[in-house]
Amino acid sequence: MAALSLFLDVPLTREAHELLYAYMEDPSPDKVYLDCRGCRIDTGEAWVCPTVLRTLQLVAGDPTQDYEQLPVCGLPEFTRAATELAIGRESQAILENRVRILQPVGAPLKARGSGVRDAIKADATVDIPGLGMGFSSILAFWCRLYLAGGVQTVGVTGALRIGAEFLRRWHCQHTPGPARVYIAVHQLDFFQGIFHDAGFVDICPYLYWDLERLDVALEDFLEVLESSPEGSIILLHGPEGTGLTPRQWEEVAQVMERKHLFPFFDIPGQGLASGDLNKDAWALRHFVARGFELFCAQSFSRIFGLYDEPVGNLTVVARDNVALTRVRSQLEKVAAALWGSPTCFSARVIATVLNNPALRSKWKQSLRAMAEKIMLIRAKLKEKLRILGTPGSWEHITTQLGTHSFMGLLPVQVAYLMKHKHVYLHTDGQVSMCSINSHNMDYVAQSIHEAVVATMLGLSQHPEHCKGQ
Amino acid sequence: MAALSLFLDVPLTREAHELLYAYMEDPSPDKVYLDCRGCRIDTGEAWVCPTVLRTLQLVAGDPTQDYEQLPVCGLPEFTRAATELAIGRESQAILENRVRILQPVGAPLKARGSGVRDAIKADATVDIPGLGMGFSSILAFWCRLYLAGGVQTVGVTGALRIGAEFLRRWHCQHTPGPARVYIAVHQLDFFQGIFHDAGFVDICPYLYWDLERLDVALEDFLEVLESSPEGSIILLHGPEGTGLTPRQWEEVAQVMERKHLFPFFDIPGQGLASGDLNKDAWALRHFVARGFELFCAQSFSRIFGLYDEPVGNLTVVARDNVALTRVRSQLEKVAAALWGSPTCFSARVIATVLNNPALRSKWKQSLRAMAEKIMLIRAKLKEKLRILGTPGSWEHITTQLGTHSFMGLLPVQVAYLMKHKHVYLHTDGQVSMCSINSHNMDYVAQSIHEAVVATMLGLSQHPEHCKGQ
């Protein structure tokens, strides 16, 4: 064999988590990392909801568990509960079977001790009125396997990836012109890799946060939508925390409807913005109610405190049950070649909590408490900056909602924070509010103050070139 | 909006598990499914190793657990233990740091309560002699994060997929000519989708089982290797159960070395063939000892009985530590866009069992017992066919090893079994031995007997056209 490595020209990459690596390389004892993903308690450790923790132990010790492999599309109880959580139990789309596949009375699925998982038993509570008469036998068969329109995925990344892989293959072939994906500029790091690896080449960023007005850049967003090619895919990230009003969402929906744009929602923390699960899903439900066909990727890590067991759900809303069934069959094929079948443990825990009224109620209380804790962190930080007399308005810290927030810092201020204060955050000034706690709050506020004061003299307050960074 | 669905021309697919769906559609109470994936007990239910079950409950109740998100490449204890299981703790490649990345004395990774997982703490037992002097600072930093050459993946499918995605991008650009992948014909269903979705177009099947000689088709395999373009990727599936002798494996390795072919091992059930973990890894370890750079995808579902928590490992063996570090950084990037970070639960359970000598020893006993049970099923089935006087030789049932086996049935006989006896198996006559138990053994033997008798008159016993099916 040759003495040289085959992998000689493979470059070293650190793309996956560049900011984290920069932080970890820093030997300073003062360093602070302001991009922690999950919800955290005051010690900086991961928040774990007590109800979820108790359920987790119950599920692990459940003697009736069979340890059988899940179907490729996951645990039906989980996907159904997740889908209902996102679009609402009373959604017209559910009543019209546009997110839930019909379940006929099926043939016996177990025979001669063959041990194949009985896909129906897990879904005994679904009350769907038998098989529609016009269905072909193939469709009838699929109906037996597909009990919800959702697909359980490995984390929200997995949900975005299988959605993207499907869309590249089918949606893009269907619409005229090249398929383009629009991703908010502050989410490019995370989403671009997923859509690029799924085969998209035409990925355009859109501006989301206006550094001049210290508010959401709605006008720019609407302009981008108006000028986008028909059939483009629009990533709508974290609608619960965008700060758009219902009326503004209606405007967005109107343009997207007229331009036939495809909405791909990403809901990372339903309930963590306002503390109300329904309120946080308003935008998604509005799109569903208007009759959009759409995808929605949900994350459960943050809201259930299960960071080590990432589980996601891709909800498909289609025009009718036939379209849904077909799309779901293709998504199954995509998932089969990505991970085979998903892991069960956290899906079982989440399904147990969501489907049990007592547990669900307790979990909702914890979630609301966490949302309120985040609001309190915002208020405290704003107050600290006010006391320090930091120049500028910091009202936007409390008008935004959810785990993440734009600090309204210019790139040069962010660079100052990293270089001189060992405080690590994204160039656009986005911060995870849960990264701030009583141990680092004073240091962070003081650092922001210093960065603003040190840089403001050398800069006009709103330089044109910073817009959109 | 348009009244028609965007997804109007999406076809329904059942490619993911065609045989299973055909079985599930069959209303007959006699039906038997002979392609169950995992190990099963006599009732047809999934085999769960008692040691693993107890560890699972311990891990779930562990109060020291932090529920933090795993690094993208997974739990270091798990990947290290998995890699050592595959290539052996005393492997020259481990001693030369060609599968395990150097761990320098790093900077403090936690500061100001930021809660970022300390990547080093979990790996405190690794005894590597500090940072090599010639390393650049970037590499030194990577070393801190990468503690084993393996990447934890979601099931073995995930391991194959990230390996394939990486190889398409790098290995294929490096070697002259088009990159071709060779997959054993009986594994095409499973592997083709993975490699196709990862972007490979030139996928060639090779013959593995010779229906004439009722033995492994070594000659044909060697011919394929000889005629393959340099740099092709060869999937070596289930080397523990192929039935090739060490001398024959040496021949394969010689040709692959000479032709610069890239070995991609897939080890679905180490220990389930001979009952001996080391013996079953002989072929892989031989390739490593010869100095091959290779990938090895390991599955843990079967050998740990954790079918609902699929976890896999992709072991990378490189020429040196620098190449390994680079490849691993690219694999991390691929995984970040596939699932973000893997789930932790089963990895923690498996790492606990493998790293604790008492638990490991008990688990090995259970595994050996399961391997012996499979050998017994083989012996019984052969005996039943002998008693029934089924024409032909059935010696090959007991000369093969592992969970899966070629029955030596012609496609026409398989078709007969499915159509007339409701016995479902692959067209090539491959059967999962664990699908056969005391409840269906008589029926399966009788059905095979009928199929052979009914079809033998209309056929010459070894028609040329069946070869390679």
Side-chain angles (χ1 to χ4, degrees), chain A residues 187 191 208 236-243 249 265-269 280 401:
Chain A
Q187 289 295 332
F191 287 99
Y208 169 81
L236 297 167
H237 173 78
E240 69 278 12
T242 49
W249 272 118
F265 279 88
D266 163 44
I267 301 195
D280 281 4
L401 282 172

Side-chain angles (χ1 to χ4, degrees), chain B residues 256-321:
Chain B
M256 287 184 64
E257 207 172 86
R258 181 157 35 80
K259 298 279 298 181
H260 300 107
L261 304 175
F262 185 81
F264 198 145
F265 280 87
D266 164 45
I267 302 197
Q270 189 183 351
L272 283 172
S274 68
D276 181 327
L277 287 163
N278 295 324
K279 210 168 164 185
D280 281 5
W282 191 91
L284 169 67
R285 293 180 189 179
H286 177 71
F287 274 72
V288 173
R290 282 184 92 113
F292 273 94
E293 293 193 293
L294 56 81
F295 281 0
C296 171
Q298 284 167 277
S299 167
F300 293 87
S301 303
R302 279 180 208 170
I303 59 176
F304 279 83
L306 289 166
Y307 314 104
D308 57 343
E309 296 293 323
V311 62
N313 184 56
L314 181 72
T315 293
V316 180
V317 180
R319 180 81 59 233
D320 52 43
N321 201 271

Side-chain angles (χ1 to χ4, degrees), chain A residues 182 206 221 225 228 232-236 256 261-264:
Chain A
Y182 285 91
Y206 64 81
F221 183 33
L225 294 179
S228 62
S232 296
I233 297 157
I234 315 291
L235 259 289
L236 297 167
M256 288 185 64
L261 305 175
F262 186 81
F264 197 145

Side-chain angles (χ1 to χ4, degrees), chain A residues 1-17 20-21 23-25 27 29-33 36-37 40 43-46 48 53 56-57 60-61 65-69 72 107-109 111-117 137-138 141-142 144-145 154 157-158 161 165-166 169-171 174 193-194 197 257 262 291-293 295 305 307-310 319 323 325-327 329-330 332-333 336-345 348 437 439-440 443, chain B residues 1-17 20-21 23-25 27 29-33 36-37 40 43-46 48 53 56-57 60-61 65-69 72 107-109 111-117 137-138 141-142 144-145 154 157-158 161 165-166 169-171 174 193-194 197 257 262 291-293 295 305 307-310 319 323 325-327 329-330 332-333 336-345 348 437 439-440 443:
Chain A
M1 299 197 77
L4 287 176
S5 171
L6 285 174
F7 305 126
L8 203 65
D9 58 0
V10 172
L12 193 70
T13 173
R14 27 190 310 187
E15 264 180 51
H17 297 286
L20 177 62
Y21 296 151
Y23 163 78
M24 290 176 94
E25 268 185 316
D30 288 331
K31 65 182 179 178
V32 181
Y33 185 65
C36 296
R37 283 253 163 123
R40 296 185 174 273
T43 59
E45 281 164 328
V48 184
L53 194 58
L56 189 145
Q57 277 149 11
Q65 203 167 309
D66 61 4
Y67 305 99
E68 292 281 3
Q69 194 179 10
V72 175
L109 296 185
R112 289 198 181 267
S114 57
V116 172
R117 175 180 279 267
S137 69
I138 288 182
F141 166 66
W142 275 94
R144 245 176 273 145
L145 291 177
V154 183
T157 309
R161 179 66 181 259
E165 295 242 357
F166 167 79
R169 291 175 210 184
W170 298 106
H171 181 71
H174 186 269
I194 299 171
D197 283 10
E257 206 171 271
F262 186 81
F292 273 93
E293 294 193 294
F295 282 0
Y307 315 105
D308 57 343
E309 295 295 322
R319 181 80 59 234
T325 308
R326 289 171 170 176
V327 172
S329 80
Q330 294 291 343
E332 185 185 42
K333 192 179 155 199
L338 270 177
W339 51 64
S341 64
T343 53
C344 192
F345 188 50
R348 210 175 257 153
N437 53 44
H439 305 283
N440 61 23
Y443 182 76
Chain B
M1 299 199 77
L4 287 175
S5 171
L6 287 173
F7 304 125
L8 203 65
D9 58 1
V10 172
L12 194 69
T13 173
R14 23 192 311 188
E15 262 179 52
H17 296 285
L20 177 62
Y21 296 151
Y23 163 77
M24 290 177 94
E25 269 185 316
D30 288 332
K31 65 181 179 178
V32 181
Y33 184 65
C36 295
R37 284 251 164 126
R40 296 183 174 273
T43 58
E45 282 161 329
V48 183
L53 195 57
L56 188 144
Q57 278 149 10
Q65 202 168 309
D66 63 3
Y67 304 100
E68 292 281 2
Q69 194 178 9
V72 174
L109 296 185
R112 291 200 181 264
S114 58
V116 173
R117 175 181 279 266
S137 69
I138 289 180
F141 166 66
W142 275 95
R144 246 176 272 144
L145 292 176
V154 183
T157 309
R161 179 64 181 261
E165 295 241 359
F166 167 79
R169 292 176 208 183
W170 298 105
H171 182 69
H174 185 268
I194 298 171
D197 283 11
E257 207 172 86
F262 185 81
F292 273 94
E293 293 193 293
F295 281 0
Y307 314 104
D308 57 343
E309 296 293 323
R319 180 81 59 233
T325 308
R326 288 172 170 175
V327 172
S329 80
Q330 294 291 343
E332 184 185 43
K333 192 180 155 197
L338 270 177
W339 50 63
S341 64
T343 53
C344 192
F345 189 49
R348 208 175 260 154
N437 53 44
H439 305 283
N440 60 25
Y443 182 76

Side-chain angles (χ1 to χ4, degrees), chain B residues 298-434:
Chain B
Q298 284 167 277
S299 167
F300 293 87
S301 303
R302 279 180 208 170
I303 59 176
F304 279 83
L306 289 166
Y307 314 104
D308 57 343
E309 296 293 323
V311 62
N313 184 56
L314 181 72
T315 293
V316 180
V317 180
R319 180 81 59 233
D320 52 43
N321 201 271
V322 178
L324 176 66
T325 308
R326 288 172 170 175
V327 172
R328 167 97 178 221
S329 80
Q330 294 291 343
L331 286 170
E332 184 185 43
K333 192 180 155 197
V334 170
L338 270 177
W339 50 63
S341 64
T343 53
C344 192
F345 189 49
S346 48
R348 208 175 260 154
V349 171
I350 291 164
T352 307
V353 172
L354 288 179
N355 293 326
N356 177 312
L359 293 175
R360 187 184 173 108
S361 158
K362 279 190 187 166
W363 164 72
K364 274 166 76 177
Q365 279 172 24
S366 301
L367 198 63
R368 180 178 286 271
M370 178 45 78
E372 282 165 1
K373 206 202 106 182
I374 297 172
M375 291 177 199
L376 200 65
I377 294 173
R378 293 176 180 278
K380 276 188 184 164
L381 184 64
K382 190 175 83 174
E383 183 60 13
K384 295 257 180 224
L385 292 172
R386 193 191 62 78
I387 292 169
L388 287 166
T390 313
S393 160
W394 301 95
E395 211 48 49
H396 56 279
I397 297 182
T398 50
T399 52
Q400 294 171 84
L401 280 173
T403 51
H404 285 66
S405 210
F406 286 93
M407 275 294 131
L409 294 169
L410 303 173
V412 64
Q413 293 164 338
V414 172
Y416 182 96
L417 281 170
M418 290 212 252
K419 192 172 170 195
H420 300 287
K421 306 302 293 179
H422 312 281
V423 174
Y424 289 83
L425 68 165
H426 280 287
T427 323
D428 57 13
Q430 209 190 184
V431 154
S432 154
M433 296 315 296
C434 284

Side-chain angles (χ1 to χ4, degrees), chain B residues 126-169:
Chain B
V126 179
D127 49 355
I128 295 180
L131 170 61
M133 283 304 109
F135 278 70
S136 73
S137 69
I138 289 180
L139 191 56
F141 166 66
W142 275 95
C143 295
R144 246 176 272 144
L145 292 176
Y146 292 158
L147 304 158
V151 179
Q152 180 188 329
T153 61
V154 183
V156 73
T157 309
L160 292 160
R161 179 64 181 261
I162 65 166
E165 295 241 359
F166 167 79
L167 287 174
R168 174 179 57 82
R169 292 176 208 183

